[in-house]
Amino acid sequence: ITIIDVDSLERKQVAVPHPIFLAWSDNDKLYALSRALDVTGLYVIDPGRRNAKNLPLDREAEVLYTLDPDTLILAASRTNSTRIGTELSWRLSRYALATTATRTLFTFSKIYPWKAVDKELLLAWLHAGVNPLDGSFLVMEHVKPPVFPPYTRVSRIDAVTGEETSIKGKDREGIYVSACWSPDGKRLALTDMNGRFELAVMGAEVTTTLAVPAGSYPSWNPRGSIIYSGGYLIKSDGSGAVQLLSTASHSIGVWSPDGTRLAVAAGGELLLFRNFITSYSGSDRPLDLVLAEKLTLLRNLFADELISRQEYDDRKAGLL
């Protein structure tokens, strides 16, 4: 693994066998998944000392996110060709760093009537990850009814109970590819197969369609009203878009925590854009740090079995 200081461009090498996914934690630790001979490894990396410690892991995983400094969210998927189509299965798990115990939050299995499967279409939604406010995890299920046109049901999974709550799907507007959370965790940017770009409001069947280019992996600036998607910088109020890269519809962008820099993987290169000026406009708001901390404490109380499920649900509803 190569860690690059974006100011000095100094590079540090950390030895991890066959790394496949990385995630930073708020406490400046770096976590990595590796895959060798169908065995998944989990590592915690100290960037200063350049060492990696192997953590016990009892299951497969392809993607990981940091829920808080004490907890990881792991996701694993599998596709299998069958006589009648392609079977997709995936599992979402919660990993406690203090005990190294892993608990399954949610599982899914479905056969799609497609022989030539587009794995990016089926799993690009993993890019959205954890909601910055309540820690829920976004999932998408593609539905093909016998009479109606196919559509996508968008939901979020509670990070401690595994309960699924539908965000979008009743309107059956189309098949979505991926999404990203707004800085305050109360809205969602969605991209669909037809190049459409939409904003959805949590807890309400309210959707705004933006007449701007859309890519496969949208990424919302955590400190402002700009969304990177498919090579474009898109204003979240729909007032315009600026092209940053050409022929980059499948590129992936990641913002720095302060929103002033953007790293983009496109066309086999890693590009770094600097000096963005961050500001909020329209309905955009910064993350409510006090509320987010209270929700984190509530999750930990329930995970440690200090409150009941009913208390957890009631307190969470009250806070939100």
Side-chain angles (χ1 to χ4, degrees):
I1 293 174
T2 301
I3 301 174
I4 303 173
D5 185 302
V6 294
D7 294 319
S8 66
L9 297 185
E10 177 190 2
R11 298 181 175 220
K12 299 178 181 179
Q13 302 287 335
V14 181
V16 173
H18 307 288
I20 59 171
F21 204 92
L22 303 171
W24 285 100
S25 177
D26 290 340
N27 59 4
D28 206 33
K29 290 183 179 179
L30 179 62
Y31 294 91
L33 288 174
S34 70
R35 178 68 59 81
L37 300 176
D38 293 329
V39 176
T40 302
L42 174 62
Y43 293 83
V44 57
I45 297 169
D46 184 331
R49 297 182 179 180
R50 306 188 192 187
N51 59 14
K53 178 184 176 182
N54 189 212
L55 301 176
L57 183 63
D58 64 358
R59 62 194 63 196
E60 293 183 353
E62 296 173 323
V63 177
L64 82 158
Y65 293 90
T66 56
L67 180 63
D68 54 57
D70 302 313
T71 314
L72 304 178
I73 296 294
L74 306 174
S77 66
R78 186 183 294 267
T79 55
N80 181 42
S81 296
T82 69
R83 182 175 55 84
I84 59 175
T86 299
E87 180 182 17
L88 169 68
S89 59
W90 56 265
R91 176 176 60 190
L92 197 66
S93 305
R94 176 187 173 100
Y95 185 93
L97 290 163
T99 62
T100 69
T102 311
R103 183 170 70 86
T104 299
L105 289 173
F106 195 83
T107 60
F108 174 87
S109 181
K110 186 172 185 175
I111 295 179
Y112 291 97
W114 305 320
K115 281 294 186 181
V117 63
D118 185 343
K119 196 167 183 179
E120 183 177 48
L121 167 63
L122 292 180
L123 295 169
W125 51 263
L126 283 166
H127 168 72
V130 174
N131 183 303
L133 179 61
D134 66 5
S136 59
F137 194 89
L138 180 132
V139 299
M140 289 185 178
E141 176 192 356
H142 303 303
V143 182
K144 194 177 186 306
V147 178
F148 299 100
Y151 68 99
T152 300
R153 190 163 72 93
V154 184
S155 307
R156 52 180 173 176
I157 307 298
D158 188 285
V160 286
T161 67
E163 181 180 5
E164 181 183 15
T165 303
S166 179
I167 298 173
K168 195 169 176 55
K170 294 179 182 178
D171 47 12
R172 299 182 176 181
E173 288 186 351
I175 297 180
Y176 297 105
V177 177
S178 191
C180 65
W181 300 106
S182 64
D184 63 358
K186 296 181 179 180
R187 289 197 294 166
L188 194 65
L190 297 155
T191 59
D192 74 3
M193 287 187 65
N194 300 316
R196 210 167 48 164
F197 194 90
E198 297 180 357
L199 298 181
V201 179
M202 299 297 99
E205 286 292 327
V206 178
T207 301
T208 303
T209 301
L210 305 184
V212 294
S216 298
Y217 301 95
S219 182
W220 206 314
N221 188 308
R223 295 290 185 270
S225 297
I226 299 175
I227 302 169
Y228 174 83
S229 184
Y232 287 81
L233 298 174
I234 300 168
K235 292 184 179 180
S236 60
D237 61 4
S239 60
V242 176
Q243 188 176 36
L244 198 62
L245 297 168
S246 61
T247 62
S249 62
H250 295 279
S251 61
I252 298 178
V254 178
W255 295 93
S256 61
D258 65 0
T260 63
R261 291 171 292 201
L262 173 68
V264 179
E269 293 183 310
L270 179 62
L271 308 172
L272 178 64
F273 298 89
R274 303 170 180 262
N275 301 326
F276 287 93
I277 298 173
T278 60
S279 63
Y280 294 100
S281 62
S283 301
D284 293 341
R285 299 290 184 272
L287 176 65
D288 187 334
L289 295 175
V290 174
L291 178 57
E293 184 178 357
K294 289 180 179 179
L295 289 166
T296 298
L297 291 172
L298 185 62
R299 287 196 304 269
N300 292 336
L301 285 172
F302 181 73
D304 293 338
E305 300 181 348
L306 297 175
I307 59 174
S308 67
R309 170 66 184 273
Q310 188 63 51
E311 288 176 305
Y312 172 77
D313 289 340
D314 290 345
R315 292 187 189 183
K316 180 180 177 182
L319 287 171
L320 292 175

